[in-house]
Amino acid sequence: MLNKYARAFFTRVLTPFAALLLRWGVSPDAVTLVGTAGSVAGALVFFPRGEFFWGTITITLFIFSDLVDGNMARQANTSSRWGAFLDSTLDRVADAAIFGGLALWYSGQGDSNALCAVAVFCLASGQVVSYTKARGESLGFPVNVNGLVERAERLVITLVAAGVTGLGTFGVPYLEWLLPTALWVVAVGSLVTVFQRMLTVRRESREADAAEAKA
């Protein structure tokens, strides 16, 4: 979720904390699981009740576990394909909880079937965006494309909009349009990204087939 400079900064800041957890016998996988559980709880407890500010704060705090677990694995020299698989899989779970929580809000107190549908579309399209890359790579293609709205953009746009919208509970006016706009942006951007990746895999597949035919 962070550009390389911000990630480098937070890595330095969190390294002592990661080292402390290792001394206490905590494993990187445990941190991954706790981070996901916290993100899911923040999304499904606060968002369906319209408490977007506190939900966003909770999710953001636990999202930093994504930096801590990797830092721990590097310090302990235990980086593995299993750890990468677990991290990626649980990322999908956290993403689903965030958009699922927003869908629950709009299907209930938020009183908007249209925005409920958009939130569900964001949930589904986000999973498809990830699947297209994973499936393409499993077939041996690099899937060399920077999509318009990938996971980092989906979460940043949605969580910033949700957090700022939540300031309305503290009396800040005229914020009710922000979260719906963000959901539409994420929905359209995710759809574009799916097509970008599909077209990229199609091109890479044709190039591979042509190279094999010449061989």
Side-chain angles (χ1 to χ4, degrees):
M1 288 187 62
L2 302 168
N3 64 42
K4 64 180 181 179
Y5 301 109
R7 180 175 286 271
F9 169 76
F10 283 109
T11 296
R12 288 195 298 271
V13 170
L14 294 172
T15 291
F17 179 62
L20 178 63
L21 292 177
L22 287 171
R23 287 197 295 272
W24 286 349
V26 179
S27 70
D29 288 352
V31 173
T32 302
L33 290 167
V34 170
T36 301
S39 296
V40 169
L44 296 182
V45 171
F46 292 104
F47 282 0
R49 298 188 296 181
E51 297 179 7
F52 299 123
F53 179 79
W54 294 115
T56 300
I57 293 297
T58 302
I59 294 166
T60 301
L61 289 174
F62 280 101
I63 278 177
F64 276 99
S65 67
D66 194 43
L67 293 176
V68 174
D69 58 5
N71 192 310
M72 292 172 66
R74 287 189 294 273
Q75 288 192 50
N77 198 28
T78 57
S79 297
S80 66
R81 285 176 289 185
W82 159 250
F85 170 81
L86 179 67
D87 191 55
S88 295
T89 300
L90 294 184
D91 281 349
R92 306 289 85 76
V93 174
D95 292 359
I98 290 169
F99 289 105
L102 294 174
L104 288 172
W105 162 252
Y106 283 115
S107 68
Q109 296 180 55
D111 194 25
S112 174
N113 288 334
L115 289 174
C116 175
V118 173
V120 171
F121 182 84
C122 289
L123 189 163
S125 61
Q127 306 301 313
V128 176
V129 166
S130 298
Y131 175 79
T132 52
K133 184 174 180 64
R135 181 56 176 158
E137 290 177 341
S138 73
L139 293 171
F141 304 121
V143 196
N144 190 20
V145 60
N146 291 321
L148 180 64
V149 175
E150 298 186 349
R151 183 174 189 256
E153 289 79 14
R154 287 197 305 274
L155 290 185
V156 169
I157 292 170
T158 303
L159 291 178
V160 168
V164 174
T165 298
L167 294 175
T169 60
F170 300 101
V172 181
Y174 311 120
L175 297 176
E176 60 276 2
W177 58 271
L178 187 57
L179 183 55
T181 301
L183 287 175
W184 278 107
V185 169
V186 170
V188 173
S190 296
L191 183 61
V192 171
T193 304
V194 168
F195 281 109
Q196 285 179 303
R197 289 189 171 179
M198 290 178 67
L199 291 172
T200 298
V201 172
R202 181 171 178 263
R203 173 178 55 79
E204 292 173 349
S205 175
R206 288 184 170 184
E207 290 173 351
D209 290 342
E212 289 178 0
K214 291 179 181 179

